[in-house]
Amino acid sequence: QVQLVESGGGLVQAGGSLRLSCAASGSILSINAMSWYRQAPGKQRNLVATVTSYGRTNYADSVQGRFTISRASAKNTVYLQMNSLKPEDTAVYYCNADVVDAQWGRATDRWGQGTQVTVSS
């Protein structure tokens, strides 16, 4: 069984910073891409940032230059450093990982439970 557990969400004023973490645990052979998504109330879940196993990153236009995604592969952990936060960044942030399980050697899409980020104006 593979689990993703997020942490680091909270309430911050506009212009502030937060750092999200997501740790994968369980029967893991390897992890391909790791990503962060977010979902605001009444809206669809959207991709925020992705980092591949090679360290290549990609960002949504709305967070480019403000957010930084990184990963510690040895720890099966991905981070999202969020700077210059805006009220429109308020959402539940979800971790996603393409995990190859150790038992069957198959890649499956895994999600964390989500962590709330609220940015006040």
Side-chain angles (χ1 to χ4, degrees), residues 2 4 6 11 14 18 27 31 38 40 44 46 50-51 53 59 64 69-70 81 86 97 101-102 107 114 119:
V2 174
L4 301 183
E6 299 115 332
L11 173 65
L18 282 175
S27 180
I31 301 179
R38 67 185 181 187
Q44 66 181 15
N46 292 319
T50 297
V51 57
S53 57
Y59 297 91
Q64 182 76 46
I69 189 170
S70 61
Q81 177 66 43
K86 304 175 182 180
D101 70 86
V119 184

Side-chain angles (χ1 to χ4, degrees), residues 8-19 82-87 89-90 116-121:
L11 173 65
V12 65
Q13 288 188 333
S17 298
L18 282 175
R19 189 190 193 211
M82 304 185 293
N83 299 328
S84 302
L85 282 160
K86 304 175 182 180
D89 294 317
T90 296
Q116 177 70 46
V117 171
T118 303
V119 184
S120 63
S121 57

Side-chain angles (χ1 to χ4, degrees):
Q1 191 76 5
V2 174
Q3 285 188 319
L4 301 183
V5 178
E6 299 115 332
S7 60
L11 173 65
V12 65
Q13 288 188 333
S17 298
L18 282 175
R19 189 190 193 211
L20 305 183
S21 299
C22 171
S25 62
S27 180
I28 298 171
L29 180 61
S30 62
I31 301 179
N32 297 320
M34 301 186 80
S35 303
W36 287 95
Y37 286 74
R38 67 185 181 187
Q39 186 168 20
K43 296 189 177 181
Q44 66 181 15
R45 189 175 298 187
N46 292 319
L47 178 65
V48 175
T50 297
V51 57
T52 69
S53 57
Y54 298 101
R56 186 169 184 174
T57 59
N58 186 55
Y59 297 91
D61 289 343
S62 59
V63 306
Q64 182 76 46
R66 299 187 297 122
F67 291 9
T68 302
I69 189 170
S70 61
R71 65 191 283 176
S73 296
K75 297 180 180 180
N76 290 331
T77 300
V78 64
Y79 306 96
L80 186 67
Q81 177 66 43
M82 304 185 293
N83 299 328
S84 302
L85 282 160
K86 304 175 182 180
E88 50 264 44
D89 294 317
T90 296
V92 177
Y93 283 70
Y94 296 92
C95 175
N96 172 267
D98 184 28
V99 179
V100 180
D101 70 86
Q103 182 175 7
W104 303 106
R106 294 181 300 195
T108 56
D109 206 32
R110 303 284 182 168
W111 291 90
Q113 80 286 355
T115 185
Q116 177 70 46
V117 171
T118 303
V119 184
S120 63
S121 57

